[in-house]
Amino acid sequence: LGKKVTVLCGGSGSSKFASAISSYATDAVEPKFIANVADNFWWNGLLVCPDVDIITYALSGILEKEKGWGVHGDSFVNIESLSVLRKSEEWFSLGDRDLATCLKRTQLYKAGWSLSSITQDISSKLGAKNTVVPATDDFVQTFVRTQEGDLHLQEYWVKNRGQLKALGVKYQGIESATPSEQLMNAGDQPVLVCPANPVTSILPTVQLKRVSDGLKKAKVIAISPFVGEKPFSGPAGDLMHSIGVEANSRGVAVLYSNFLKIILLDNAEDPEVTNSINDMGIEAIRTVTRVQSEEDKKRMAEELTSLF
Ligand code: FO1
């Protein structure tokens, strides 16, 4: 068996890297994918876990890659029917197959299963090639402070399309949540931080108690989700400003500086940013960070394997 590595994931931005490692690096490494849970929410009585599901679908080869969430080729009959009943409430388009995942999850959750046992069960039934572990079994939820009040991340991002000015972020429940055992022991192995939105996808995982300290001794490698000021996907820019850091790769390095050893930056990155990250004692390596084709995934998997 290969070297054990821990991969910290968000959703869409991380899914290509998760599938790159799963498809092309598993001769050399045995990856464990830790999924963010702070975007989980209750929808029509169902427990929806977008990032957990996005990574599970990616590792099972059924992710809708175009959108970066949901199941490829899914239908949306349930949403059409629900919209007939109350259109204004149906801003979250959960596909029909996705609905089955969430129905089953909710049923098991209500029967007393932990989120990690449920995830293990669902991911193995869907044929995921590697283990997916929720960052915690407890409830941690991201709320964005706006002039209209504190909005759950899904309301801020999906319902309001990220149009309200973000004034701050809080992770409700994080102080009392217990990190998963795999996350707690991650410091013993190399750790990869996928190019995810730090504020919504990585901080709620690494700020779980004792995690950041545990990561200090690990070889932690992150891939920047930014090229210049432009994030790969999602609301990273505004949310980073709202917590007082620059919305670029240097801001990412600052947020991870407690434990980060290496950061992969795109070749197009500003040399000044690269130099200032090196000055922080973090090794900045320039490469091609965009991963689209299978060829790109293979190259990225080889590059990462050589760093682990
Ligand atoms: N994102 C959207 O922008 N619109 C949607 O209707 C939507 C539905 C959806 C259903 C299931 C799922 O797992 C994810 C879904 N997402 C949708 C993506 C998602 O909620 C966000 O991109 C992430 O949670 C942000 O971390």
Side-chain angles (χ1 to χ4, degrees):
L1 282 178
K3 195 181 225 175
K4 287 186 165 43
V5 297
T6 305
V7 185
L8 305 188
C9 302
S12 306
S14 304
S15 62
K16 297 175 198 135
F17 292 79
S19 81
I21 292 167
S22 176
S23 302
Y24 299 110
T26 43
D27 284 344
V29 299
E30 191 189 329
K32 208 159 257 164
F33 295 94
I34 309 278
N36 171 47
V37 297
D39 63 342
N40 293 1
F41 75 125
W42 289 95
W43 175 89
N44 284 314
L46 299 180
L47 179 53
V48 180
C49 303
D51 285 355
V52 171
D53 289 344
I54 289 167
I55 299 304
T56 301
Y57 296 155
L59 298 177
S60 310
I62 60 171
L63 179 69
E64 170 55 59
K65 293 184 197 152
E66 201 63 29
K67 287 191 296 214
W69 49 266
V71 177
H72 177 66
D74 209 350
S75 50
F76 291 83
V77 177
N78 86 86
I79 291 293
E80 288 162 24
S81 305
L82 285 167
S83 299
V84 171
L85 302 178
R86 197 152 301 172
K87 187 163 178 43
S88 60
E89 287 178 8
E90 300 315 330
W91 46 267
F92 193 77
S93 296
L94 193 74
D96 296 330
R97 287 173 199 274
D98 224 353
L99 177 70
T101 303
C102 297
L103 265 173
K104 187 49 74 185
R105 172 187 298 120
T106 306
Q107 182 201 28
L108 295 174
Y109 184 75
K110 291 196 167 163
W113 289 40
S114 66
L115 188 57
S116 42
S117 317
I118 298 169
T119 304
Q120 196 176 8
D121 184 72
I122 292 178
S123 61
S124 77
K125 300 248 164 69
L126 292 178
K129 289 205 291 184
N130 311 93
T131 311
V132 185
V133 183
T136 170
D137 280 335
D138 299 321
F139 262 85
V140 176
Q141 290 184 299
T142 302
F143 283 86
V144 180
R145 193 153 58 80
T146 74
Q147 269 169 348
E148 309 207 348
D150 290 352
L151 300 182
H152 187 284
L153 175 66
Q154 301 297 347
E155 284 200 306
Y156 167 78
W157 179 240
V158 182
K159 186 176 182 185
N160 289 294
R161 303 184 183 283
Q163 281 165 357
L164 294 169
K165 190 170 167 51
L167 304 171
V169 172
K170 69 173 180 202
Y171 307 119
Q172 196 177 77
I174 198 158
E175 291 85 8
S176 53
T178 305
S180 71
E181 208 175 301
Q182 287 90 338
L183 179 56
M184 222 123 66
N185 298 332
D188 302 338
Q189 309 146 8
V191 176
L192 175 70
V193 184
C194 283
N197 179 342
V199 182
T200 57
S201 303
I202 303 297
L203 295 186
T205 293
V206 299
Q207 288 184 4
L208 287 162
K209 53 178 171 252
R210 294 192 297 279
V211 171
S212 170
D213 277 346
L215 292 177
K216 276 186 191 157
K217 60 179 174 173
K219 182 171 192 184
V220 183
I221 305 161
I223 302 164
S224 175
F226 282 93
V227 182
E229 309 272 299
K230 209 175 146 12
F232 282 6
S233 64
D238 277 357
L239 293 179
M240 287 186 54
H241 282 139
S242 85
I243 62 164
V245 293
E246 287 177 276
N248 60 20
S249 297
R250 182 165 45 214
V252 176
V254 167
L255 290 173
Y256 301 164
S257 58
N258 216 8
F259 51 79
L260 188 63
K261 314 299 183 302
I262 297 175
I263 187 164
L264 302 191
L265 303 175
D266 198 80
N267 285 326
E269 190 58 88
D270 182 348
E272 197 215 314
V273 170
T274 313
N275 293 339
S276 59
I277 293 175
N278 278 321
D279 290 345
M280 292 163 64
I282 295 165
E283 185 187 353
I285 300 178
R286 290 156 71 106
T287 182
V288 178
T289 56
R290 291 257 165 204
V291 164
Q292 296 291 351
S293 65
E294 288 305 305
E295 213 29 58
D296 296 339
K297 287 186 183 173
K298 193 154 180 273
R299 180 192 46 74
M300 180 50 79
E302 282 163 7
E303 184 163 355
L304 290 171
T305 304
S306 73
L307 291 173
F308 288 146

